[in-house]
């Protein structure tokens, strides 16, 4: 979360968009692949993230690699992993593809009414 990046702004070309999109999808897939390895509940104290944030927003764009590293190092430790198979606090209707599709269809039917 370094706010003194020296990168300059450049518009996102189609190859950059494709590569960044794949990187984000891989990040999400890896998260779900390894979700059992995370503790279910957050293991940090409230407010811990404030100490990791810079005083100002970055002046220049940061690379997606740096952003995803920040998410891994700073955000994920503070999460409660609701989709973990080790989380037994409620029935997860969207933990399976069938449950997710069923819930989505119910919502879209409700909205259509």
């Amino acid at each position: 979360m370094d706010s003194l990046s020296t990168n300059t702004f450049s518009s996102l070309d189609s190859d950059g968009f494709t590569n960044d999109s794949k990187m984000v999808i891989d990040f999400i897939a890896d998260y779900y692949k390894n979700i059992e390895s995370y503790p279910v509940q957050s293991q940090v104290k409230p407010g811990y993230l404030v100490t990791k944030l810079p005083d100002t927003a970055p002046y220049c764009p940061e690379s997606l690699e740096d952003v995803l590293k920040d998410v891994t190092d700073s955000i994920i430790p503070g999460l409660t992993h609701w989709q973990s198979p080790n989380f037994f606090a409620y029935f997860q209707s969207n933990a399976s593809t069938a449950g997710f599709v069923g819930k989505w269809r119910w919502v879209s039917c409700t909205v259509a009414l």
Side-chain angles (χ1 to χ4, degrees):
M1 294 187 192
D2 181 14
S3 63
L4 298 176
S5 174
T6 57
N7 296 341
T8 57
F9 178 77
S10 60
S11 60
L12 184 63
D13 61 5
S14 61
D15 288 336
F17 176 75
T18 301
N19 293 334
D20 287 355
S21 299
K22 288 177 182 177
M23 190 181 314
V24 170
I25 295 298
D26 288 344
F27 179 86
I28 294 169
D30 289 343
Y31 170 78
Y32 278 106
K33 180 179 178 182
N34 299 310
I35 198 165
E36 283 186 71
S37 66
Y38 297 108
V40 172
Q41 291 185 319
S42 171
Q43 303 294 303
V44 299
K45 294 181 181 181
Y48 87 102
L49 191 56
V50 172
T51 63
K52 294 184 172 281
L53 296 174
D55 293 334
T56 63
Y59 294 104
C60 298
E62 295 182 354
S63 70
L64 184 57
E65 292 90 352
D66 289 344
V67 171
L68 294 178
K69 182 175 181 340
D70 288 343
V71 171
T72 299
D73 296 345
S74 300
I75 305 295
I76 289 180
L79 294 178
T80 294
H81 303 279
W82 295 69
Q83 297 301 322
S84 171
N86 302 319
F87 188 60
F88 300 115
Y90 69 99
F91 177 74
Q92 299 178 22
S93 64
N94 62 346
S96 69
T97 304
F100 175 78
V101 171
K103 183 145 184 135
W104 177 80
R105 290 189 66 198
W106 177 83
V107 169
S108 42
C109 290
T110 305
V111 171
L113 298 176

